[in-house]
Amino acid sequence: MTVAPEKNPPVKLPNEPAITPQIVAEHGLAPDEYERLLKIMGRTPTMVELGIFSAMWSEHCSYKSSKVWLKKLPTKAPWVIQGPGENAGVIDIGDGQAAIFKMESHNHPSYIEPYQGAATGVGGILRDVFTMGARPVANLNALRFGDPENAKTRHLVSGVVAGIAGYGNCMGIPTVGGETNFHAAYNGNILVNAMTVGVAATDKIFYAAAAGIGNPMVYVGSRTGRDGIHGATMSSTEFNEDSESKRPTVQVGDPFVEKLLLEACLELMATDAIIAIQDMGAAGLTSSSFEMAAKGGLGLVMELDKVPMRETGMNPYELMLSESQERMLMVLKPGREDEARKIFEKWELDFAVIGHLTDTERMVLTWHGDVVGNIPIPPLVTEAPMYERPWTLTPLPAELDAAKVPAPEDWKASLLTLMSCPDLASKAWIWHQYDHLIMGNTAIRPQGGDAALVRVPAAPQGTKSAGHKGLAMTSDCTPRYVQAHPETGGRQAVAEAWRNITAVGARPLAVTDNMNFGNPQKPEIMGQFAGAIMGMAEACTALDFPVVSGNVSLYNETEGRPILPTPTIGAVGVIDDIATSAGSRLDQSGLALVLIGETKGWLGQSIYLRELHGREEGAPPPVDLAVERRNGDFVRGQIVGRRVHACHDLSDGGLLVALAEMCLSGGTGACIKLPQGIAAPHAYLYGEDQGRYLIATDDGGALVEAAQKAGVPAVLLGYSGGPNITVDGLLSVPLQELRNAHEDWLPGYMNSAA
């Protein structure tokens, strides 16, 4: 279809300024991008049209620097129902059920206004999931803060955690997992990545593509205010000393309204009235309306004066660019408006027919009868800037010789130091603020396993897994590995997520990613992004772990100082019967402790090296994907076969930290011996070699024998029991002393004077 020519050029509104180079620059458009706009429009745009192009062509909405690389990620598998391109990814989990999930960032808003920034990040990702017909069953979050000694860090931690808790708890959806790290590189730009997982029937999934010429376009939810205007543009720029002035671009959320919106949408979805539905997220009414029309190959007329408003004197520019929360846009079947209206009014939500679909492939905006915007839709998408920016790959650093890294002078002190450092210290102060048990389906709660495990609501009667199936979920990334070598770091982030799902006995199925990086116009930063994608693509392919959704957050810099490159991986897997799952709690004596996987003692980029020697250097541990697959498949088989009492993957801090975490979680000590011939015990105990698991089992000999038959390295280290953690000949630490060090740091930090 050829785009219809412009028949109704827009009028300028009273007091509308002339478009100047300064105004164009303030909207984040480069001069050549504005020239492209002029070519598409054939005339100078109005302010509302300029605002629309600015939002849609922002880095946040258009992925103009990252799209060329994202295409390299594997996105298909027999169990993938919907990959990238919709509100969230969808995978088949059997029995006529689907898991719908996505992760998104709210980094810039959370730094400027931590409570509302984090809260609305949770609200936005929840809408992405229930827009597609799913009832959310769990939330996760991945948080990165600056140096604890930084003046703002404590304030940011407090606000972000309270915002996540305030929104998720009020929605009645459990927050079951995530991660929290601290590093000086995040001092001026924290990361708040929020993930939601929902469950829907495979035959009741809703999409965004508009259809049906003349069908009504309907607005539902909260009224539109002035909060969040230019939010997408703000999220596509670096921070500077004036960042505090951007506070008005942060949205304000109301979880109680969102709860009503969730229930109203699901009630209407139980009918057949909805043709298409889209969350109003970044860029608000602009992105939602354009995406629906573009996906359907249609045009629309939108009567902006009919949009429900909560502030007086609002104009079309503000209405199109507001990012007020708790709003949806729908296309309904003709004649179903009254039915839908009754549902939303019952839930005390606004409902308004604000336009209709056309065959013109143009967006026509009217204001009290006057045309104020008239934009061809296809070129806004097809002619959007897409850059192949210059990039320089980060070279692989030289391998660090573990023998040249000093062993601890005091072994007990070394373990106490690591277990109380900001990255490894207990995060119970955080997750105790989250309601992680609401809905009654949380089978493995925070710090009870490598992945959270949530019982899937009963499938239809007669299906084999009704009432027993579980979804495992996790979020993972080791930014210091990515900084050292992005390809290895990207590979490791995927592999660790796969391991964590495996370690509870679930089959890893798919990934959502959140790509957090600095300024892509710098070749070294673009090279970090490219390298991470290369590593992720390789790992996702080797592990049959496709990427089905995600988000890119660039320009995470403050005054030229970038964050650590952080490609956060959110992952979901399924277990047929949660009764066969394994947590990481070592809660009884007499269990054999078996180490699965080869240990060479890799100390490069390790927590040990950083926390005990103040060094961040060397190559990160290599990731052999064939070994990951072999070891993980073996471990999962042992768990499902009910031969494993507890399982923990080895990551930050290596073997000794993993053992300490298992003992603290279950309240039982352990005694282990190192295998003979270990030249560097500190490397063996603290090295971060990949592809490894620590397993507690009733019969260590049988497990080791089974591993040997499968070609999997395995060694019996010792047994659980007693009040201490003991490594024969090196250290013995009372569990209570270790618990005090591990659990006291974060509450002490948050309760101390600034």
Side-chain angles (χ1 to χ4, degrees), residues 400-402 404-406 480 603-618:
L400 188 69
D401 184 353
K404 295 182 179 178
V405 177
R480 65 184 186 276
L603 290 178
Q605 298 299 331
S606 65
I607 286 279
Y608 173 85
L609 186 70
R610 188 183 76 189
E611 295 296 327
L612 272 75
H613 298 289
R615 295 159 57 185
E616 296 184 46
E617 60 187 74

Side-chain angles (χ1 to χ4, degrees), residues 187-412:
N187 279 350
N189 201 126
I190 64 172
L191 301 184
V192 175
N193 296 169
M195 177 176 169
T196 292
V197 181
V199 174
T202 54
D203 59 353
K204 293 290 283 185
I205 296 168
F206 291 80
Y207 299 96
I213 295 167
N215 283 346
M217 182 76 76
V218 174
Y219 173 116
V220 299
S222 287
R223 297 185 177 190
T224 297
R226 291 187 171 96
D227 53 320
I229 294 174
H230 290 307
T233 306
M234 178 271 290
S235 293
S236 304
T237 57
E238 290 184 33
F239 278 163
N240 55 38
E241 59 188 10
D242 299 322
S243 293
E244 289 296 327
S245 67
K246 297 177 180 176
R247 191 176 299 271
T249 62
V250 178
Q251 310 94 322
V252 177
D254 185 336
F256 298 105
V257 172
E258 179 128 333
K259 174 63 173 173
L260 300 178
L261 183 62
L262 163 65
E263 299 301 338
C265 285
L266 292 180
E267 183 174 338
L268 184 58
M269 286 168 170
T271 73
D272 63 348
I274 298 174
I275 291 174
I277 181 169
Q278 175 72 38
D279 158 47
M280 288 193 223
L285 195 52
T286 286
S287 62
S288 56
S289 58
F290 263 97
E291 287 172 9
M292 293 179 80
K295 288 176 180 177
L298 296 174
L300 69 153
V301 173
M302 201 146 50
E303 301 172 71
L304 294 178
D305 49 289
K306 293 185 178 179
V307 172
M309 297 171 235
R310 71 165 184 258
E311 299 185 44
T312 58
M314 293 192 72
N315 61 45
Y317 180 92
E318 294 169 325
L319 290 169
M320 289 302 291
L321 295 179
S322 168
E323 294 186 6
S324 293
Q325 297 292 285
E326 295 89 40
R327 302 179 300 159
M328 295 283 194
L329 200 59
M330 298 180 180
V331 176
L332 298 181
K333 291 181 178 178
R336 307 296 291 272
E337 296 93 327
D338 287 344
E339 177 186 355
R341 185 189 303 275
K342 288 177 182 177
I343 291 174
F344 282 90
E345 288 181 350
K346 180 187 78 172
W347 290 100
E348 300 181 345
L349 296 166
D350 277 275
F351 178 99
V353 178
I354 63 170
H356 63 273
L357 300 176
T358 69
D359 64 353
T360 64
E361 290 195 298
R362 300 190 74 92
M363 170 171 279
V364 178
L365 307 175
T366 68
W367 182 245
H368 299 290
D370 292 326
V371 174
V372 294
N374 193 333
I375 300 175
I377 294 172
L380 189 68
V381 178
T382 60
E383 300 301 315
M386 186 169 73
Y387 298 119
E388 295 191 37
R389 297 197 185 277
W391 51 283
T392 304
L393 285 179
T394 305
L396 181 66
E399 181 178 337
L400 188 69
D401 184 353
K404 295 182 179 178
V405 177
E409 294 182 4
D410 183 330
W411 276 92
K412 176 181 173 181

Side-chain angles (χ1 to χ4, degrees), residues 117-185:
T120 53
V122 173
I125 197 63
L126 282 166
R127 287 194 304 280
D128 279 339
V129 168
F130 74 74
T131 297
M132 299 196 69
R135 179 171 290 279
V137 297
N139 290 329
L140 301 90
N141 53 77
L143 311 177
R144 319 282 173 184
F145 297 105
D147 184 345
E149 300 303 315
N150 184 271
K152 288 197 71 170
T153 298
R154 188 181 288 101
H155 161 72
L156 291 168
V157 173
S158 177
V160 165
V161 171
I164 292 169
Y167 211 102
N169 293 356
C170 290
M171 285 290 293
I173 296 164
T175 300
V176 297
E179 52 185 337
T180 304
N181 295 136
F182 297 83
H183 194 282

